[in-house]
mmCIF file of all heavy atoms in Angstrom:
data_model
loop_
_atom_site.group_PDB
_atom_site.id
_atom_site.type_symbol
_atom_site.label_atom_id
_atom_site.label_comp_id
_atom_site.label_asym_id
_atom_site.label_seq_id
_atom_site.Cartn_x
_atom_site.Cartn_y
_atom_site.Cartn_z
ATOM 1 N N LEU A 1 0.873 -1.194 -0.075
ATOM 2 C CA LEU A 1 -0.052 0.053 0.041
ATOM 3 C C LEU A 1 0.883 1.160 -0.003
ATOM 4 O O LEU A 1 1.572 1.484 1.015
ATOM 5 C CB LEU A 1 -0.907 0.021 1.276
ATOM 6 C CG LEU A 1 -1.804 1.206 1.442
ATOM 7 C CD1 LEU A 1 -2.762 1.325 0.142
ATOM 8 C CD2 LEU A 1 -2.669 1.066 2.622
ATOM 9 N N LEU A 2 0.815 1.962 -1.095
ATOM 10 C CA LEU A 2 1.687 3.126 -1.279
ATOM 11 C C LEU A 2 0.959 4.448 -1.025
ATOM 12 O O LEU A 2 -0.289 4.489 -1.265
ATOM 13 C CB LEU A 2 2.331 3.187 -2.665
ATOM 14 C CG LEU A 2 3.037 1.808 -3.180
ATOM 15 C CD1 LEU A 2 3.683 2.025 -4.456
ATOM 16 C CD2 LEU A 2 3.965 1.364 -2.080
ATOM 17 N N GLY A 3 1.691 5.498 -0.578
ATOM 18 C CA GLY A 3 0.984 6.710 -0.325
ATOM 19 C C GLY A 3 0.711 6.955 1.098
ATOM 20 O O GLY A 3 0.085 8.033 1.343
ATOM 21 N N CYS A 4 1.105 6.195 2.060
ATOM 22 C CA CYS A 4 0.750 6.394 3.426
ATOM 23 C C CYS A 4 1.956 7.209 4.044
ATOM 24 O O CYS A 4 3.027 6.640 4.120
ATOM 25 C CB CYS A 4 0.575 5.158 4.237
ATOM 26 S SG CYS A 4 -0.930 4.333 3.692
ATOM 27 N N ALA A 5 1.771 8.426 4.536
ATOM 28 C CA ALA A 5 2.818 9.158 5.197
ATOM 29 C C ALA A 5 2.901 8.614 6.622
ATOM 30 O O ALA A 5 3.897 8.818 7.267
ATOM 31 C CB ALA A 5 2.592 10.605 5.144
ATOM 32 N N HIS A 6 1.861 8.088 7.177
ATOM 33 C CA HIS A 6 1.730 7.684 8.531
ATOM 34 C C HIS A 6 0.941 6.328 8.618
ATOM 35 O O HIS A 6 -0.115 6.233 7.896
ATOM 36 C CB HIS A 6 1.177 8.830 9.373
ATOM 37 C CG HIS A 6 1.262 8.517 10.936
ATOM 38 N ND1 HIS A 6 0.272 7.757 11.550
ATOM 39 C CD2 HIS A 6 2.238 8.965 11.786
ATOM 40 C CE1 HIS A 6 0.680 7.654 12.878
ATOM 41 N NE2 HIS A 6 1.858 8.420 13.029
ATOM 42 N N PRO A 7 1.379 5.403 9.514
ATOM 43 C CA PRO A 7 0.538 4.193 9.644
ATOM 44 C C PRO A 7 -0.930 4.375 9.888
ATOM 45 O O PRO A 7 -1.764 3.554 9.595
ATOM 46 C CB PRO A 7 1.285 3.505 10.797
ATOM 47 C CG PRO A 7 2.547 4.045 10.822
ATOM 48 C CD PRO A 7 2.493 5.351 10.317
ATOM 49 N N ALA A 8 -1.285 5.609 10.537
ATOM 50 C CA ALA A 8 -2.729 5.812 10.718
ATOM 51 C C ALA A 8 -3.604 5.995 9.414
ATOM 52 O O ALA A 8 -4.760 5.950 9.491
ATOM 53 C CB ALA A 8 -2.905 7.058 11.587
ATOM 54 N N GLN A 9 -2.824 6.164 8.340
ATOM 55 C CA GLN A 9 -3.605 6.404 7.060
ATOM 56 C C GLN A 9 -3.960 5.022 6.471
ATOM 57 O O GLN A 9 -4.728 4.996 5.507
ATOM 58 C CB GLN A 9 -2.648 7.168 6.080
ATOM 59 C CG GLN A 9 -2.478 8.661 6.408
ATOM 60 C CD GLN A 9 -1.651 9.262 5.441
ATOM 61 O OE1 GLN A 9 -0.554 9.233 5.341
ATOM 62 N NE2 GLN A 9 -2.337 9.939 4.409
ATOM 63 N N VAL A 10 -3.430 4.002 6.929
ATOM 64 C CA VAL A 10 -3.837 2.585 6.436
ATOM 65 C C VAL A 10 -5.373 2.385 6.640
ATOM 66 O O VAL A 10 -5.780 2.667 7.871
ATOM 67 C CB VAL A 10 -2.988 1.472 7.082
ATOM 68 C CG1 VAL A 10 -3.440 0.149 6.517
ATOM 69 C CG2 VAL A 10 -1.562 1.691 6.745
ATOM 70 N N PRO A 11 -6.158 2.097 5.695
ATOM 71 C CA PRO A 11 -7.585 1.836 5.964
ATOM 72 C C PRO A 11 -7.845 0.738 7.006
ATOM 73 O O PRO A 11 -7.026 -0.246 7.099
ATOM 74 C CB PRO A 11 -8.161 1.484 4.523
ATOM 75 C CG PRO A 11 -7.168 2.032 3.577
ATOM 76 C CD PRO A 11 -5.827 2.058 4.236
ATOM 77 N N VAL A 12 -8.877 0.985 7.837
ATOM 78 C CA VAL A 12 -9.014 0.094 8.975
ATOM 79 C C VAL A 12 -9.242 -1.371 8.471
ATOM 80 O O VAL A 12 -8.720 -2.269 9.084
ATOM 81 C CB VAL A 12 -10.195 0.488 9.851
ATOM 82 C CG1 VAL A 12 -11.445 0.507 8.923
ATOM 83 C CG2 VAL A 12 -10.316 -0.222 11.026
ATOM 84 N N PHE A 13 -9.713 -1.612 7.275
ATOM 85 C CA PHE A 13 -10.017 -2.995 6.848
ATOM 86 C C PHE A 13 -8.729 -3.543 6.300
ATOM 87 O O PHE A 13 -8.785 -4.755 5.881
ATOM 88 C CB PHE A 13 -11.178 -3.062 5.890
ATOM 89 C CG PHE A 13 -12.509 -2.724 6.481
ATOM 90 C CD1 PHE A 13 -13.231 -1.601 6.190
ATOM 91 C CD2 PHE A 13 -13.016 -3.559 7.538
ATOM 92 C CE1 PHE A 13 -14.514 -1.306 6.801
ATOM 93 C CE2 PHE A 13 -14.236 -3.339 8.079
ATOM 94 C CZ PHE A 13 -14.910 -2.129 7.790
ATOM 95 N N GLU A 14 -7.749 -2.795 6.109
ATOM 96 C CA GLU A 14 -6.481 -3.152 5.401
ATOM 97 C C GLU A 14 -5.352 -3.471 6.520
ATOM 98 O O GLU A 14 -4.327 -4.013 6.102
ATOM 99 C CB GLU A 14 -5.963 -2.223 4.464
ATOM 100 C CG GLU A 14 -6.818 -1.916 3.262
ATOM 101 C CD GLU A 14 -6.698 -3.113 2.263
ATOM 102 O OE1 GLU A 14 -5.924 -4.028 2.481
ATOM 103 O OE2 GLU A 14 -7.555 -3.155 1.199
ATOM 104 N N ARG A 15 -5.612 -3.075 7.775
ATOM 105 C CA ARG A 15 -4.559 -3.309 8.745
ATOM 106 C C ARG A 15 -4.235 -4.759 8.878
ATOM 107 O O ARG A 15 -5.060 -5.566 8.992
ATOM 108 C CB ARG A 15 -5.046 -2.671 10.087
ATOM 109 C CG ARG A 15 -5.193 -1.065 9.993
ATOM 110 C CD ARG A 15 -5.738 -0.516 11.296
ATOM 111 N NE ARG A 15 -5.973 0.804 11.051
ATOM 112 C CZ ARG A 15 -6.603 1.608 11.913
ATOM 113 N NH1 ARG A 15 -7.062 1.105 13.150
ATOM 114 N NH2 ARG A 15 -6.780 2.923 11.714
ATOM 115 N N ASP A 16 -3.012 -5.050 9.091
ATOM 116 C CA ASP A 16 -2.423 -6.442 9.209
ATOM 117 C C ASP A 16 -2.661 -7.209 7.888
ATOM 118 O O ASP A 16 -2.563 -8.483 7.861
ATOM 119 C CB ASP A 16 -3.061 -7.132 10.307
ATOM 120 C CG ASP A 16 -2.725 -6.426 11.706
ATOM 121 O OD1 ASP A 16 -1.654 -5.980 11.742
ATOM 122 O OD2 ASP A 16 -3.676 -6.511 12.524
ATOM 123 N N LEU A 17 -3.089 -6.594 6.765
ATOM 124 C CA LEU A 17 -3.263 -7.332 5.510
ATOM 125 C C LEU A 17 -2.562 -6.695 4.379
ATOM 126 O O LEU A 17 -2.649 -7.055 3.198
ATOM 127 C CB LEU A 17 -4.751 -7.337 5.089
ATOM 128 C CG LEU A 17 -5.665 -8.042 6.063
ATOM 129 C CD1 LEU A 17 -7.085 -7.717 5.702
ATOM 130 C CD2 LEU A 17 -5.460 -9.559 6.118
ATOM 131 N N CYS A 18 -1.565 -5.763 4.653
ATOM 132 C CA CYS A 18 -0.686 -5.282 3.724
ATOM 133 C C CYS A 18 0.490 -4.606 4.345
ATOM 134 O O CYS A 18 0.530 -4.510 5.592
ATOM 135 C CB CYS A 18 -1.402 -4.184 2.798
ATOM 136 S SG CYS A 18 -1.996 -2.795 3.746
ATOM 137 N N TRP A 19 1.444 -4.138 3.499
ATOM 138 C CA TRP A 19 2.627 -3.458 4.097
ATOM 139 C C TRP A 19 2.640 -1.983 3.406
ATOM 140 O O TRP A 19 2.516 -1.922 2.132
ATOM 141 C CB TRP A 19 4.004 -4.052 3.810
ATOM 142 C CG TRP A 19 5.110 -3.307 4.215
ATOM 143 C CD1 TRP A 19 5.230 -2.454 5.270
ATOM 144 C CD2 TRP A 19 6.479 -3.498 3.648
ATOM 145 N NE1 TRP A 19 6.562 -2.022 5.315
ATOM 146 C CE2 TRP A 19 7.362 -2.679 4.430
ATOM 147 C CE3 TRP A 19 6.977 -4.246 2.577
ATOM 148 C CZ2 TRP A 19 8.631 -2.589 4.159
ATOM 149 C CZ3 TRP A 19 8.330 -4.051 2.279
ATOM 150 C CH2 TRP A 19 9.161 -3.279 3.084
ATOM 151 N N ALA A 20 2.597 -0.954 4.312
ATOM 152 C CA ALA A 20 2.610 0.331 3.815
ATOM 153 C C ALA A 20 4.006 0.982 4.133
ATOM 154 O O ALA A 20 4.288 1.574 5.079
ATOM 155 C CB ALA A 20 1.556 1.288 4.437
ATOM 156 N N PRO A 21 5.017 0.717 3.147
ATOM 157 C CA PRO A 21 6.358 1.177 3.369
ATOM 158 C C PRO A 21 6.465 2.691 3.481
ATOM 159 O O PRO A 21 5.869 3.380 2.583
ATOM 160 C CB PRO A 21 7.158 0.746 2.192
ATOM 161 C CG PRO A 21 6.290 -0.239 1.508
ATOM 162 C CD PRO A 21 4.888 0.080 1.855
ATOM 163 N N PRO A 22 7.056 3.286 4.430
ATOM 164 C CA PRO A 22 7.124 4.739 4.574
ATOM 165 C C PRO A 22 8.257 5.261 3.576
ATOM 166 O O PRO A 22 8.941 4.505 3.004
ATOM 167 C CB PRO A 22 7.613 4.938 6.004
ATOM 168 C CG PRO A 22 8.364 3.709 6.368
ATOM 169 C CD PRO A 22 7.729 2.641 5.663
ATOM 170 N N GLY A 23 8.152 6.575 3.343
ATOM 171 C CA GLY A 23 9.247 7.188 2.568
ATOM 172 C C GLY A 23 8.884 7.651 1.187
ATOM 173 O O GLY A 23 9.700 7.811 0.363
ATOM 174 N N GLY A 24 7.544 7.888 0.951
ATOM 175 C CA GLY A 24 7.179 8.332 -0.352
ATOM 176 C C GLY A 24 6.944 7.231 -1.351
ATOM 177 O O GLY A 24 7.037 6.082 -1.099
ATOM 178 N N PRO A 25 6.693 7.690 -2.666
ATOM 179 C CA PRO A 25 6.371 6.818 -3.664
ATOM 180 C C PRO A 25 7.557 5.912 -4.040
ATOM 181 O O PRO A 25 8.739 6.184 -3.702
ATOM 182 C CB PRO A 25 6.075 7.623 -4.933
ATOM 183 C CG PRO A 25 6.721 9.001 -4.621
ATOM 184 C CD PRO A 25 6.670 9.108 -3.101
ATOM 185 N N LEU A 26 7.351 4.711 -4.675
ATOM 186 C CA LEU A 26 8.366 3.778 -4.987
ATOM 187 C C LEU A 26 8.577 3.886 -6.509
ATOM 188 O O LEU A 26 7.639 4.179 -7.343
ATOM 189 C CB LEU A 26 8.084 2.337 -4.603
ATOM 190 C CG LEU A 26 7.835 2.045 -3.107
ATOM 191 C CD1 LEU A 26 7.420 0.517 -2.981
ATOM 192 C CD2 LEU A 26 9.013 2.500 -2.341
ATOM 193 N N ASP A 27 9.797 3.572 -6.923
ATOM 194 C CA ASP A 27 10.166 3.507 -8.370
ATOM 195 C C ASP A 27 9.787 2.219 -8.918
ATOM 196 O O ASP A 27 10.578 1.206 -8.846
ATOM 197 C CB ASP A 27 11.611 3.798 -8.529
ATOM 198 C CG ASP A 27 12.055 4.009 -10.001
ATOM 199 O OD1 ASP A 27 11.400 3.499 -10.776
ATOM 200 O OD2 ASP A 27 13.207 4.432 -10.179
ATOM 201 N N ILE A 28 8.537 2.149 -9.459
ATOM 202 C CA ILE A 28 8.023 0.774 -9.961
ATOM 203 C C ILE A 28 8.845 0.296 -11.138
ATOM 204 O O ILE A 28 9.154 -0.959 -11.204
ATOM 205 C CB ILE A 28 6.534 1.016 -10.309
ATOM 206 C CG1 ILE A 28 5.703 1.323 -9.051
ATOM 207 C CG2 ILE A 28 6.047 -0.421 -10.859
ATOM 208 C CD1 ILE A 28 5.755 0.365 -7.867
ATOM 209 N N PRO A 29 9.205 1.150 -12.047
ATOM 210 C CA PRO A 29 10.042 0.536 -13.216
ATOM 211 C C PRO A 29 11.395 0.058 -12.681
ATOM 212 O O PRO A 29 11.787 -1.083 -13.187
ATOM 213 C CB PRO A 29 10.245 1.807 -14.034
ATOM 214 C CG PRO A 29 9.099 2.720 -13.854
ATOM 215 C CD PRO A 29 8.861 2.500 -12.412
ATOM 216 N N ALA A 30 12.082 0.651 -11.789
ATOM 217 C CA ALA A 30 13.290 -0.065 -11.219
ATOM 218 C C ALA A 30 13.018 -1.279 -10.441
ATOM 219 O O ALA A 30 13.782 -2.218 -10.627
ATOM 220 C CB ALA A 30 14.028 1.029 -10.224
#
């Protein structure tokens, strides 16, 4: 789950069902 600046932004139904890596967007092509 991308786009979360803080763990509190993870939707409640997604908690413990995904990883929201901090640090901004990821370079998908790389």
Side-chain angles (χ1 to χ4, degrees):
L1 177 57
L2 309 185
C4 291
H6 189 276
Q9 289 182 276
V10 177
V12 64
F13 294 113
E14 295 284 354
R15 292 175 187 172
D16 299 322
L17 296 173
C18 62
W19 178 26
L26 299 181
D27 185 341
I28 299 297

